[in-house]
Amino acid sequence: MNESMDDAGCCLLSVAWNVAPLAEGQPGSRRADLRRTVVSVCRTAGHGARDWAARHGAGTVAEYRPFLQLADVAYEIATLLLLVEDFLVPDLEREHRRWAEIEELTVRLTELAEWTSAFLMSDEPVRL
């Protein structure tokens, strides 16, 4: 079970590591851009979380939970990106549904990335 800021940092770095080999794609494609974003956000937040844990300890659930949520959302985006544009039988409706879900998750990824960044840069508690 993930029960510390260090665990959350490790989760984020794991997501980044598992997406990174797939980061190459058609230059300028939305899919490739999102993959690069997921990798960058997870690496930055993951290293930040581990550095924070080294200085402050395990942290509270309220402190590390948003980092775990960020890892979860990033993992879900990465998984859905595997399912779009690569298929055995083209299904435009299914692809549109998946892209809609990816875009919705991307909004949440941005919110969590902003929160985690603010948390790591602040000495004061940050509310999510």
Side-chain angles (χ1 to χ4, degrees):
M1 188 68 176
N2 299 304
E3 298 177 344
S4 71
M5 185 66 81
D6 192 60
D7 290 346
C10 289
C11 287
L12 284 158
L13 292 172
S14 177
V15 172
W17 177 263
N18 286 309
V19 174
L22 304 171
E24 299 304 318
Q26 295 177 341
S29 75
R30 178 72 173 139
R31 185 177 172 194
D33 290 346
L34 283 173
R35 281 186 171 151
R36 281 190 290 276
T37 297
V38 166
V39 169
S40 177
V41 164
C42 288
R43 279 187 183 151
T44 300
H47 285 298
R50 297 207 68 211
D51 289 345
W52 187 94
R55 289 190 317 274
H56 302 284
T60 66
V61 173
E63 290 169 331
Y64 65 75
R65 189 168 195 274
F67 289 85
L68 291 172
Q69 290 173 315
L70 179 60
D72 191 47
V73 168
Y75 177 78
E76 195 168 351
I77 290 170
T79 301
L80 287 169
L81 287 172
L82 292 172
L83 299 174
V84 294
E85 298 176 4
D86 287 334
F87 37 76
L88 297 173
V89 178
D91 184 336
L92 198 54
E93 182 181 330
R94 179 178 57 204
E95 188 167 347
H96 285 291
R97 267 193 333 267
R98 287 181 178 155
W99 272 112
E101 188 171 358
I102 289 167
E103 295 300 339
E104 187 177 317
L105 288 167
T106 301
V107 170
R108 183 68 176 143
L109 179 90
T110 301
E111 291 170 353
L112 289 165
E114 289 171 354
W115 187 93
T116 56
S117 177
F119 175 85
L120 292 171
M121 297 179 81
S122 174
D123 290 332
E124 301 295 321
V126 179
R127 291 199 183 270
L128 183 58

